[in-house]
Amino acid sequence: MHIPSQLSDTSASIIDSVLRDAKKLHRTAQSKSYSSSLPILRRLLHQEVFRGLSLPALRSQSHLIQRKHILQLLALEANYTSWAQYRQAIINQPDQIRGFEQTSFAQLGYPNHWFSSLTEAQAFAKQHGGQVFAYANQGVVVPS
């Protein structure tokens, strides 16, 4: 997808990062490897991008998954209702969009504390310090 030149460097960089992530997730979702594809398929089902399908049914029909479904997933996980809304938010307020999805794992260092919810991660960070990131429906605390 072409990113218009009138965007700020920050907006263009974030959109490019999200599109790259979507491309990787799309390929992985259609992978023959169960261990690679199932986590993404579960995310698609959890966010109700596909409704009325079970995990085995989606796995057997993974050819139905398109890039637009992955972009919708990423938008939902970032608390937006659509990719168009998410993209517009990135354009309008790029500094408020930066989050875990725009941070490479190499930049985060070690150790990182993962939690099953963002609320748990925030409670941990309040007590022990660190920066909290949302990742899908989970939370990550990175030491300061």
Side-chain angles (χ1 to χ4, degrees):
M1 177 181 277
H2 176 69
I3 300 173
S5 59
Q6 71 265 22
L7 295 180
S8 71
D9 289 342
T10 304
S11 294
S13 174
I14 294 171
I15 290 172
D16 186 49
S17 174
V18 172
L19 291 173
R20 249 190 336 271
D21 289 347
K23 184 176 183 177
K24 289 177 192 174
L25 289 170
H26 185 215
R27 286 184 181 162
T28 305
Q30 294 181 329
S31 167
K32 300 292 181 201
S33 167
Y34 283 93
S35 63
S36 297
S37 64
L38 288 180
I40 298 160
L41 299 179
R42 285 186 187 106
R43 287 169 62 185
L44 287 164
L45 292 173
H46 176 76
Q47 291 294 338
E48 297 183 351
V49 174
F50 288 93
R51 296 180 184 169
L53 287 176
S54 65
L55 183 60
L58 184 57
R59 171 75 174 133
S60 68
Q61 299 177 46
S62 64
H63 62 279
L64 297 175
I65 301 169
Q66 298 176 21
R67 188 78 42 87
K68 67 180 182 180
H69 297 120
I70 301 297
L71 289 169
Q72 176 70 18
L73 169 69
L74 295 175
L76 290 167
E77 289 178 345
N79 294 319
Y80 293 91
T81 57
S82 68
W83 163 243
Q85 185 187 48
Y86 186 29
R87 187 177 186 279
Q88 196 59 48
I90 294 170
I91 292 168
N92 294 337
Q93 301 169 329
D95 294 331
Q96 294 181 14
I97 299 299
R98 288 183 179 271
F100 187 76
E101 65 274 4
Q102 279 82 39
T103 306
S104 92
F105 280 104
Q107 294 172 317
L108 293 179
Y110 182 81
N112 302 319
H113 303 280
W114 287 78
F115 298 88
S116 59
S117 72
L118 186 59
T119 306
E120 291 176 19
Q122 290 168 334
F124 179 87
K126 187 175 182 178
Q127 185 177 10
H128 301 283
Q131 187 173 2
V132 179
F133 292 98
Y135 185 77
N137 59 337
Q138 299 176 7
V140 182
V141 177
V142 178
S144 300

